[in-house]
Every structure is written in structure tokens, then in C-alpha cells.
Amino acid sequence: MISSKHFLHVSTSLPNALLRSLVIGTTLLCGANNANASPTTITAASCEFADVASAASTAADGEILAIPAGTCDWHGNQLVVNAGIEIRGAGVHATILERTEWDSKEAMIQMQCYSGGKQALFSGITLKGHLNSTDRHKGLQLAGGCVDFIVRHSRFEGFVAAGVEVIGPSRQRGVIYGNEFVNNYNPTLHNLGYGVVLNALGAWTDVALGTADAVYVENNYMYGNRHHIASNNGAKYVFRHNTAVANMQTRNFPQLDAHGLGNGSKTGTRSWEIYNNDFQTDFPPGSGFANDAIGIRGGAGVIFGNTYGKNIAAHVKLLTEAYYNAQMSCSTTVVSPAPQDQVQDAYIWETNPAKIANPCSKQIVAGTHFFLTPRPDYTPYTYPHPLRPQ
């Protein structure tokens, strides 16, 4: 039996023929010698960790690692696969992988992009944690600055830290679409619990709104996460065409977040584009209001075209990172020039001005740092994202 501390790293180097012949369910598609042929599929014997690890160890760059239908407990195991190998389940309700033992902060599955130039592709799987409050576990981690990655048609549920984490240099970009992020929050560790975490490791690059230069999160269902998005350290993201819901446990937190400089980061969030989403709540009648739909503490960007449930107190709240460090209060001193990582160059339109809260108005000044008009010369990037199959 494999120990709960077992750690497997899968190399993308081409395995020998004997090792490949041992993999159960290998399917060689027609035209393998043709450059345009469909990729080879390596199918695990079952969804059990040992079988998936065995199949993964023989998968080569450009091939598909297929995990069959079933519900399997991976205990404390972690699978690490280099980008270039696609991980594909039998469907979000068919392949269900659970992790019930935790002894580290590792993700259940890590896809590594350190070598560069290879896509990380993940689809058709439910990853399920069990909200163990003693560890900050994650579902899927994309590490090393993944470029043009795709995470689709999957479900991430019950992870204390995050369902999906994208971490690495600022070149990270890709699309996360058609997924469900549900109840990734445990009140015992109340400062964690995210659907998606974005961390660019401190890079501070030029803002390029309306381009492919961001992580796109679109057409997802996000429910009961402390923040559906949490970003920091130079991250850039676009959140569009999603359904976002706060429940009673998460009502006091912004559904979307963009950190400023703080919490050990080198920089704050670099940019955000938030549009055409539906923000709602799931409360019993008479339960009052949720706090904020969107809470921005740093960076530049645009917010427009969203819809909001009637019991959300603030549709947009602008803050400094120091607001939290000073026990929910803002300085009355004007800081000029504004710190690099503060909210600046922000444009908010098609939003009720009465629902825009700015308790730090001495630091985040209307007409200087944010504007209630469309951003000049801004055009949203192509939708659906071009990486999605047409």
C-alpha cells in the first residue's frame, strides 16, 4: 500500500517500450506518425492513486493521461505531472477523486510549467477535499508560470486553501471555464478559503487590459467560497460571465478580491477586469445583507456590466491594504503620490454609484485614482476565450 506521504513526480521524458507495454488501457490512435494526428491516450486501470501514478509514469509529452470513471480516495498522496501531458477524466460527475489525509500544504494534483512552452490541460474531474481545518490544502496547482493553460468542466470542492492555485512568474496566462467551485472555506481557518488563487510571485509588469495577458476565469459557477478569486503579487485576472454566490458562512467577505501590498507579498495585484457576472446570495428569508460583491485593495482595472442581488450591501468596495491592518479603519492623511500598489487607474461604470463604497477616500480619490466612466480606448478581449474549443 502506498504511504499517505507518497510523492510522485512524473517525468515527460519518453519511456522505454517495456515500461509502456505494462500500462493498462493504452490506446494508440490512428495516424500516430502524422504531425497532425490525435494524441496518444494512456488510460489508467482505475481512478485509484496507484493506477493513475503507474499510467502517469509512462505518459510522454503531448499525450493524454486518462483517469476512468469511479470514486477514489487518494488519502494523502500527491500527483505531480509536467505540463505537456493532459490530464483528462471521464466527466465531472464520473471521475471523483477525494483526498482525506493531510500532512502538508501540497496540492492534490500539481502541474508544472517550469520548462516553458508546454500547455497544462485539465478537464472532466471532480477534486474533493474534506475541509480538514489543520492543513491548508488545495485541489489543483498550476506552478511555474503556465502559459495558455486550460482548466475546464471540472469541480473543486471542500479545500481549505483553494480549489485551484495558479502560481509562478508574471507570464502566467490561460483560461479557467465551465467549472464549479463549491464550499472551499472552513470558518476555523477564516483567513483562507478561495475558489481560485492567483500569485505572480512579485512581478510588476505593464498593464495590458483587453489582451490575452491575464488569467481568464469565465462561465464558472462559484458558491460558498470565502473569495471566489483571491489575487496578489503582481497577478492579472479577468473575471467574466460567471455566477457567483455568497452563503451564510461567507457573507462577511467580498466575493471577489484583489489584494494590495501586504500579507508577505512583494507587490499587490497588478490588474483586474470584472464584467458581465451575476453576483447573488443564498440566505434564508430575513437574514440581512452580504458584505460586498467586489472588494478591491490594489491594482488597476475595469468593472462594468454586472448584476447584483438585492441583499448585497456594496456592489464594489475600494480599500487600501492598510485598512485591514488598522482594524478596519482608514487614515485621514492624504498620501501623495499614491503608493504603487494602491488602487489606481480604476474605471467603474454601469454600476449604481450609491452601491460603491470608498471608506478610504483620502487615499483613493475619486477623479484621481478611480473614475465612474468607461475606460477610454478599452475593448474587452475576445469572448469566448480563443483557447476554448469552438
Side-chain angles (χ1 to χ4, degrees), residues 1-8 10 44-56 65-81 87-89 95-103 106-111 122 125-130 138-140 159:
M1 179 175 179
I2 297 177
S3 165
S4 66
K5 296 183 178 180
H6 179 75
F7 178 92
L8 175 78
V10 179
S46 77
C47 64
E48 295 293 343
F49 179 80
D51 289 330
V52 176
S54 176
L65 170 61
I67 304 177
T71 298
C72 294
D73 186 349
W74 282 19
H75 301 284
N77 295 306
Q78 181 192 40
L79 183 71
V80 180
V81 177
I87 299 177
R88 183 186 297 178
T95 301
I96 301 171
L97 308 179
E98 301 184 42
R99 194 173 185 191
T100 57
E101 299 174 20
W102 307 97
D103 54 16
E106 304 289 353
M108 188 172 178
I109 297 177
Q110 183 187 73
M111 303 187 76
F122 183 94
I125 297 173
T126 287
L127 296 184
K128 188 175 181 180
H130 283 267
K138 307 158 191 170
L140 173 68
F159 292 97

Side-chain angles (χ1 to χ4, degrees), residues 149 166 168-174 176 196-201 203-217 229-239 257-259 267-274 298-301:
F149 66 83
V166 183
S170 61
R171 68 176 183 271
Q172 60 184 222
R173 68 171 189 253
I176 299 170
V196 178
V197 168
L198 306 170
N199 185 333
L201 296 184
W204 193 258
T205 58
D206 293 338
V207 170
L209 303 182
T211 72
D213 185 27
V215 174
Y216 280 73
V217 181
I229 297 281
S231 64
N232 208 343
N233 250 337
K236 303 175 181 179
Y237 74 83
V238 179
F239 189 83
D257 162 87
H259 274 60
T267 64
T269 302
R270 189 65 183 102
S271 68
W272 31 266
E273 300 165 63
I274 303 166

Side-chain angles (χ1 to χ4, degrees), residues 127-338:
L127 296 184
K128 188 175 181 180
H130 283 267
L131 291 177
N132 185 330
S133 63
T134 63
D135 195 21
R136 304 180 178 190
H137 52 276
K138 307 158 191 170
L140 173 68
Q141 183 186 67
L142 305 178
C146 296
V147 174
D148 295 339
F149 66 83
I150 302 173
V151 177
R152 63 189 178 100
H153 301 158
S154 295
R155 180 181 174 97
F156 305 90
E157 177 183 358
F159 292 97
V160 168
V164 171
E165 181 181 50
V166 183
I167 185 168
S170 61
R171 68 176 183 271
Q172 60 184 222
R173 68 171 189 253
V175 61
I176 299 170
Y177 76 92
N179 304 285
E180 300 172 355
F181 295 86
V182 178
N183 294 333
N184 295 289
Y185 174 62
N186 185 332
T188 305
L189 290 175
H190 65 276
N191 62 332
L192 295 170
Y194 313 123
V196 178
V197 168
L198 306 170
N199 185 333
L201 296 184
W204 193 258
T205 58
D206 293 338
V207 170
L209 303 182
T211 72
D213 185 27
V215 174
Y216 280 73
V217 181
E218 60 187 47
N219 293 109
N220 300 282
Y221 176 74
M222 314 189 89
Y223 176 96
N225 309 297
R226 179 172 175 262
H227 300 317
H228 303 310
I229 297 281
S231 64
N232 208 343
N233 250 337
K236 303 175 181 179
Y237 74 83
V238 179
F239 189 83
R240 60 183 184 176
H241 299 278
N242 300 284
T243 297
V245 184
N247 62 13
M248 290 296 291
Q249 285 200 123
T250 63
R251 63 186 294 175
N252 293 323
F253 307 105
Q255 294 192 45
L256 288 196
D257 162 87
H259 274 60
L261 179 61
N263 298 286
S265 65
K266 297 178 182 178
T267 64
T269 302
R270 189 65 183 102
S271 68
W272 31 266
E273 300 165 63
I274 303 166
Y275 56 89
N276 294 344
N277 303 286
D278 184 24
F279 293 93
Q280 297 294 333
T281 59
D282 181 21
F283 298 164
S287 297
F289 285 83
N291 192 351
D292 318 315
I294 302 169
I296 303 296
R297 295 183 247 170
V302 297
I303 300 171
F304 64 94
N306 302 291
T307 57
Y308 305 90
K310 63 181 180 180
N311 55 348
I312 298 176
H315 296 171
V316 179
K317 182 178 282 186
L318 304 176
L319 298 165
T320 65
E321 195 67 39
Y323 174 85
Y324 286 94
N325 298 333
Q327 305 301 313
M328 308 300 183
S329 65
C330 291
S331 171
T332 58
T333 302
V334 176
V335 179
S336 182

